[in-house]
Amino acid sequence: VRRSLAEAKRDMDGQNWDGARRNYENAAFIVTTSRFAPMGGDDELSKLGDEARTGLAELERMQAQAEQEQEAQSTREALAELAKQEEQSLLESRDRRARLLSAAIDQFNNERFDEAIEYANQVLAEEPDNRLARDIVAKSRKAKHEYMSKRLLEDTKQKYRDWQVDIERTKTPQSKILQWPSQTFWDEIT
């Protein structure tokens, strides 16, 4: 019993919970099955049994505490890893939005207003309160309207100029319409 108790304490110090449990249970089993002491020391055997039961209870408490500490450590590690991944995701998302905004500005400067609106809307889908993206969308729509109005005005002016040329052409007789008299006609009038 003493040897099992000593081994159980050594196993507990090494956090070998299974070995400690086995040794405490062996000691308790020996005490409960041996109701006689060869040297007349039933009191001593009873104390060793109490020590085995106390050791089992202490083992349960220490094992539960170690498991809680391990679980808390695992939770801290998992949360730290999750925070790291979340931070990485946020950085990647921020960089992606910056690239999209840069592309939108480039498209706006190249007067490709539909593409600028598309890039800015992609940013707004991820970050609805982005003021720069909203400004790009609004200014692109306005510039597109003005650009289209300007183009329409230019196209209309060109059409009017073309019509004006056509009108002037109709005033002047064309060579296709005029026919020169024949040589006999010239000969007769001469």
Side-chain angles (χ1 to χ4, degrees):
V1 171
R2 285 189 187 105
R3 186 179 65 223
S4 292
L5 290 174
E7 288 177 9
K9 288 178 184 177
R10 198 173 43 238
D11 287 339
M12 277 184 58
D13 291 341
Q15 292 189 351
N16 178 3
W17 308 122
D18 293 332
R21 180 180 308 287
R22 190 173 41 254
N23 285 315
Y24 276 129
E25 286 174 352
N26 285 343
F29 178 74
I30 293 170
V31 168
T32 55
T33 57
S34 303
R35 283 295 170 207
F36 69 94
M39 302 297 215
D42 282 337
D43 290 337
E44 183 181 353
L45 191 60
S46 178
K47 286 180 185 176
L48 291 175
D50 290 344
E51 189 177 331
R53 285 187 287 282
T54 304
L56 273 172
E58 180 68 13
L59 168 72
E60 293 292 331
R61 187 191 65 75
M62 287 180 69
Q63 186 176 9
Q65 182 181 359
E67 288 173 357
Q68 286 176 346
E69 288 173 4
Q70 179 63 34
E71 186 176 326
Q73 178 64 25
S74 297
T75 302
R76 281 192 298 273
E77 290 172 1
L79 288 174
E81 180 64 28
L82 185 62
K84 182 180 174 183
Q85 289 174 355
E86 184 66 25
E87 181 181 6
Q88 182 66 28
S89 174
L90 288 173
L91 290 174
E92 289 172 359
S93 178
R94 183 194 66 194
D95 291 345
R96 183 177 55 255
R97 287 191 307 270
R99 284 191 306 273
L100 287 171
L101 284 173
S102 179
I105 291 168
D106 288 342
Q107 296 302 321
F108 183 87
N109 290 335
N110 292 328
E111 296 181 356
R112 294 186 195 137
F113 304 115
D114 288 332
E115 288 86 354
I117 292 170
E118 182 181 329
Y119 285 129
N121 280 334
Q122 288 178 21
V123 172
L124 289 173
E126 292 182 26
E127 189 179 10
D129 60 340
N130 189 305
R131 289 188 302 185
L132 179 58
R134 285 184 186 195
D135 190 54
I136 289 171
V137 169
K139 296 282 173 46
S140 293
R141 286 183 179 150
K142 184 177 179 183
K144 179 181 174 184
H145 179 70
E146 289 173 4
Y147 179 76
M148 294 306 284
S149 296
K150 183 178 169 184
R151 293 275 308 221
L152 180 62
L153 180 64
E154 289 296 319
D155 289 346
T156 305
K157 284 181 181 180
Q158 183 61 40
K159 285 180 184 175
Y160 287 158
R161 281 192 293 269
D162 292 344
W163 286 348
Q164 202 171 21
V165 168
D166 286 345
I167 291 169
E168 290 301 318
R169 280 186 186 163
T170 58
K171 287 183 185 178
T172 309
Q174 298 295 321
S175 60
K176 294 179 185 174
I177 299 172
L178 293 177
Q179 292 183 351
W180 295 103
S182 67
Q183 186 62 42
T184 34
F185 176 78
W186 285 114
D187 289 341
E188 284 179 13
I189 63 169
T190 308

